[in-house]
Amino acid sequence: MSTCAKVSRGLEEPLAGTAATARTWLLVEQPGPWGADALTSSHLDPALGRALEQAAEGTGVRIALIRRPGRHADCHTSARRQVYAAHTTPGAVWLHNAITTDPEQLLELDFAELGRGLPGTFDTTLDGRPHTGDPLALVCTNGKRDRCCALLGRPLAAELAASGVTGAWEVTHLGGHRFSPTLLVLPFGYAYGRAEAHAVKEVLQGVREGRVVTEGCRGNSAWERPGQAAELAVRTTVSEDAAGALSVVRTEGEAPRWEVTVAHTDGRRWRVTVAQGTASPPRAESCGSAPGSPARMDVTAVRELSHTVAMGPATR
């Protein structure tokens, strides 16, 4: 069976610069089935889902539903729901958790404040506190958005949970179906594609040690896509794996070419040229969609001070 993920893998479509963008993630536990637009097509009250979408719009906060791997029965009984909020901007990273039995409380959050990296209303409204457990491994499994997420994501989430990864959750949507199984790791906010269980465990061990694994990485959700590609290119060029070492401090230009400035906490800076190309030959961005030429972020040069490291031309 040909799927968008199988075609993308076969064409070796690059992963860098394809992560969903969000400075802050708000994750709400919701058992039961999910529809394509999960906030309004799950067992969460759809009126609440619409209100949350409106409250988060333009704030830099992205809301997603999560559930534990396994069977997804929901008896519609009042239940304790796990809620997480995470800010992913390097230098200001945090992950807080809370429990609520009344999801209507979420409407009392100050979403603009959360988007700026301030957890105040999360903590006061929900009695939230810093998360002290293992890092979160969020695997997209929403087959109503794309069958690849179900066919590839659910087995990965189940394998992680069965092997003792306590931070494993299923999540509704991370974008990039054709890169399934897709994964978001918190608190640092790096996304991964074509993930396999052994590689995910290496990524999580890196998080525990304050490191970023770049293999299979799509980018940090704190940055727009040119910045994601630029930061990963600098990491690869200078072999830097410390999680909070690099920040995207400036992006100049517009599609199809940007100049991105990446700064290190030690004072070094790089100027990275990123060009927007089109993937060829045409391929479906999602199962069932017509073939197209999705945008890709190609890094053409990484320059530090007076020397330049040129990147090879794209071959696909």
Side-chain angles (χ1 to χ4, degrees):
M1 176 178 63
S2 180
T3 63
C4 64
K6 184 176 181 180
V7 171
S8 177
R9 184 188 291 267
L11 293 172
E12 298 179 359
E13 187 175 354
L15 294 168
T18 67
T21 56
R23 294 189 303 272
T24 302
W25 291 83
L26 180 64
L27 307 170
V28 183
E29 184 176 6
Q30 176 56 58
W34 297 333
D37 297 312
L39 277 180
T40 55
S41 55
S42 70
H43 288 176
L44 185 72
D45 180 357
L48 173 60
R50 283 189 292 272
L52 289 171
E53 287 178 333
Q54 293 170 1
E57 187 174 357
T59 64
V61 177
R62 187 176 177 120
I63 306 173
L65 302 183
I66 58 174
R67 63 192 178 197
R68 286 298 188 183
R71 298 186 64 183
H72 303 129
D74 182 7
C75 299
H76 297 277
T77 58
S78 177
R80 290 161 53 87
R81 300 169 187 257
Q82 183 71 57
V83 184
Y84 294 98
H87 189 67
T88 61
T89 303
V93 169
W94 51 261
L95 173 61
H96 287 207
N97 67 276
I99 297 289
T100 184
T101 57
D102 179 12
E104 294 281 346
Q105 285 185 298
L106 299 171
L107 293 176
E108 300 175 27
L109 298 175
D110 186 329
F111 284 87
E113 184 179 275
L114 284 174
R116 293 195 300 270
L118 303 173
T121 60
F122 183 86
D123 291 348
T124 56
T125 301
L126 301 174
D127 193 24
R129 60 200 65 194
H131 177 68
T132 57
D134 285 342
L136 304 186
L138 304 157
V139 182
C140 183
T141 63
N142 192 349
K144 293 296 185 181
R145 293 194 70 94
D146 192 281
R147 63 182 176 179
C148 287
C149 298
L151 292 173
L152 301 175
R154 287 179 185 165
L156 174 62
E159 183 176 355
L160 291 174
S163 65
V165 177
T166 60
W169 291 88
E170 298 186 8
V171 67
T172 48
H173 184 47
L174 297 177
H177 315 299
R178 65 192 184 279
F179 304 124
S180 295
T182 59
L183 173 85
L184 176 72
V185 178
L186 295 175
F188 296 139
Y190 286 86
Y192 292 83
R194 305 182 187 125
E196 298 179 1
H198 67 89
V200 173
K201 292 176 183 179
E202 292 177 9
V203 168
L204 295 176
Q205 183 58 34
V207 173
R208 296 183 190 98
E209 298 170 359
R211 297 184 293 107
V212 174
V213 173
T214 57
E215 185 175 357
C217 191
R218 301 174 63 193
N220 187 327
S221 72
W223 315 126
E224 296 296 328
R225 292 183 176 181
Q228 295 172 12
E231 187 226 11
L232 288 176
V234 172
R235 284 192 178 278
T236 301
T237 300
V238 302
S239 300
E240 177 58 78
D241 66 358
L246 299 178
S247 292
V248 175
V249 296
R250 181 178 301 169
T251 300
E252 299 173 289
E254 57 186 23
R257 186 177 184 277
W258 299 267
E259 295 291 334
V260 181
T261 303
V262 178
H264 196 291
T265 51
D266 66 10
R268 287 179 291 166
R269 291 194 173 210
W270 294 264
R271 187 82 159 172
V272 183
T273 303
V274 181
Q276 179 176 297
T278 55
S280 62
R283 79 288 311 271
E285 294 188 54
S286 185
C287 288
S289 67
S293 299
R296 51 181 284 171
M297 296 292 131
D298 294 320
V299 172
T300 59
V302 178
R303 303 180 294 277
E304 181 192 359
L305 298 176
S306 60
H307 69 273
T308 301
V309 179
M311 310 296 286
T315 57
R316 287 183 180 268

